[in-house]
Amino acid sequence: YVNIDDCWMANARVDGKLVANATRFPSGIKALAKYCHDKGLKLGIYSSAGTKTCQKLPASLGYEDVDAATWASWDIDYLKYDNCFRDSQSALARYSKMRDALNKTGRPMFYSICNWGQEEVWKWGKDVGNSWRTTGDIEDRFESMRKIYMRNVILGDYGKPGGWNDPDMLEVGNGKMNTIEYRTHFTLWAMAKSPLLIGCDLTKIKKVDLDILKNKAIIALNQDKTGDQARCKMACREQDFRRTARRAQIAVMKTVDGYALAITNWNDRQIIYGTRVVFSELGLDGSSYKAVELWTKQELGVVKDSFIHRALVPHGTAVYLSLIHICRCRRSTLCRSRWSP
């Protein structure tokens, strides 16, 4: 998806309909959609469930049917629906009206609810949209990313195929975090099953940051067919997220062939040494696994019951893909693993 955010529309409606800003989109949005589709891409657009967008331009409250029909006529594939300048109606009521309007068009559109995690959206979002923001806006700072992850990681029971928790877009490439921090950010967002929306200027991104965004092994965790969001399993108290955390935190998600484990050091200054990963303590349903660390590509071979991650730098994350090691033979020690590097 190539998604257009706020300010794509003109300052006023024409004949009751939203129209594109003629300076920014002289050929119109429908032509842009065709351009994207011809390249194998999809096009997303933006509005707000209020009387104005966040930049005080025309929004869609009260115009749900006409706006949904307009976007469908333009062949739009995705809607980000914001929460600015709302009235006294509940979020559930406002966002449901747009859901119904989109469904009336008959055109499939990914519906992204952006009400900033208010009114416990994770409890009703799956009945209304395809994703829902669980927090306020992210900033390109490690502390912002840390706080948003802390709020989102506890909501794993709500995100499932067809409806996803959304901790906001990626900051990778914007330049205010370092490579270690961006790797942590990308890893944790991927394992959270967050929509992976790039939020930087791709014409200016550094190669090292682009390589993070293109890491196929991490993307595969996000796209794993189980749809299981990673849950915190070790060092999950509030103090374990702090800048002075003394032990590494471990989050676990199921995969089609086993599990993925993220080991994160939230401490600002200290290296954390000797993190013991004990399978039974993490709720893994096997005792022997074949494991590989996905950033370094270091293979551990077959490990039984536990292993030790020797050192983790401040703000760093190691992620292990552990695939179940299955013994097939009763009379020999030969085993077969479900494994692909």
Side-chain angles (χ1 to χ4, degrees):
Y1 294 89
V2 177
N3 294 337
I4 310 169
D5 214 283
D6 204 347
C7 301
W8 64 265
M9 64 284 285
N11 291 330
R13 290 175 178 267
V14 176
D15 296 329
K17 297 181 179 181
L18 293 173
V19 295
N21 182 301
T23 301
R24 290 174 174 156
F25 301 98
S27 299
I29 302 299
K30 187 175 180 66
L32 180 59
K34 183 179 185 305
Y35 177 84
C36 290
H37 294 158
D38 287 347
K39 293 184 176 297
L41 303 168
K42 295 179 182 290
L43 183 66
I45 209 159
Y46 167 98
S47 189
S48 181
T51 56
K52 301 176 185 179
T53 71
C54 296
Q55 298 300 315
K56 300 182 180 180
L57 292 165
S60 296
L61 186 65
Y63 293 89
E64 292 85 358
D65 286 338
V66 66
D67 289 353
T70 297
W71 298 325
S73 73
W74 292 344
D75 299 325
I76 292 296
D77 305 293
Y78 180 114
L79 171 64
K80 174 184 173 181
Y81 205 37
D82 217 332
N83 197 36
C84 287
F85 293 97
R86 54 198 180 274
D87 62 10
S88 60
Q89 297 179 71
S90 69
L92 176 58
R94 290 181 290 116
Y95 284 90
S96 294
K97 288 179 182 178
M98 183 55 79
R99 172 203 60 196
D100 295 342
L102 293 172
N103 287 339
K104 285 179 188 177
T105 70
R107 178 172 180 78
M109 287 185 242
F110 188 103
Y111 184 23
S112 172
I113 298 170
C114 183
N115 83 322
W116 317 323
Q118 296 179 357
E119 299 181 48
E120 296 184 312
V121 61
W122 47 87
K123 292 185 176 179
W124 49 265
K126 63 182 180 300
D127 297 320
V128 179
N130 302 111
S131 68
W132 47 88
R133 282 275 299 279
T134 55
T135 68
D137 290 351
I138 193 171
E139 298 175 10
D140 187 21
R141 297 182 298 109
F142 188 80
E143 186 62 22
S144 172
M145 186 273 289
R146 183 208 316 258
K147 288 180 179 178
I148 284 179
Y149 177 74
M150 183 171 64
R151 293 169 188 162
N152 187 77
V153 73
I154 62 175
L155 302 175
D157 290 341
Y158 297 99
K160 291 180 173 58
W164 308 103
N165 291 312
D166 177 5
D168 206 2
M169 68 180 72
L170 295 164
E171 294 290 344
V172 178
N174 281 322
K176 294 184 179 179
M177 287 190 265
N178 62 39
T179 299
I180 291 169
E181 293 167 340
Y182 280 146
R183 282 185 175 183
T184 290
H185 179 23
F186 191 57
T187 299
L188 298 181
W189 260 235
M191 291 180 63
K193 297 299 188 293
S194 170
L196 297 180
L197 298 177
I198 299 170
C200 71
D201 186 342
L202 287 174
T203 67
K204 298 178 181 179
I205 190 171
K206 297 177 182 178
K207 183 181 183 301
V208 66
D209 294 335
L210 186 59
D211 288 343
I212 291 172
L213 295 174
K214 292 169 65 177
N215 187 305
K216 292 182 179 180
I218 303 299
I219 294 170
L221 299 180
N222 182 261
Q223 298 294 301
D224 186 86
K225 291 182 179 179
T226 63
D228 183 56
Q229 176 176 330
R231 292 161 174 80
C232 188
K233 294 292 187 179
M234 190 180 93
C236 304
R237 299 171 300 173
E238 183 178 349
Q239 57 261 43
D240 295 317
F241 286 91
R242 292 176 184 169
R243 296 176 173 182
T244 55
R246 294 186 176 183
R247 57 178 183 163
Q249 183 180 90
I250 302 179
V252 178
M253 59 165 269
K254 294 179 181 178
T255 67
V256 170
D257 288 321
Y259 297 89
L261 297 79
I263 308 173
T264 301
N265 179 2
W266 293 111
N267 193 291
D268 283 354
R269 296 179 180 273
Q270 296 181 353
I271 298 173
I272 294 178
Y273 294 97
T275 299
R276 180 176 290 277
V277 179
V278 181
F279 300 152
S280 61
E281 293 178 358
L282 300 178
L284 278 61
D285 58 8
S287 61
S288 295
Y289 292 86
K290 189 172 183 181
V292 60
E293 204 288 316
L294 296 183
W295 285 109
T296 63
K297 299 182 180 178
Q298 177 189 7
E299 295 189 17
L300 301 186
V302 176
V303 290
K304 183 175 175 59
D305 297 327
S306 67
F307 68 90
I308 294 176
H309 184 82
R310 297 194 179 280
L312 196 58
V313 298
H315 296 179
T317 292
V319 55
Y320 288 92
L321 183 63
S322 302
L323 303 182
I324 298 173
H325 187 72
I326 305 172
C327 289
R328 297 293 190 188
C329 306
R330 294 182 178 179
R331 296 185 179 180
S332 77
T333 58
L334 295 176
C335 295
R336 185 176 74 184
S337 298
R338 290 181 289 173
W339 170 253
S340 59

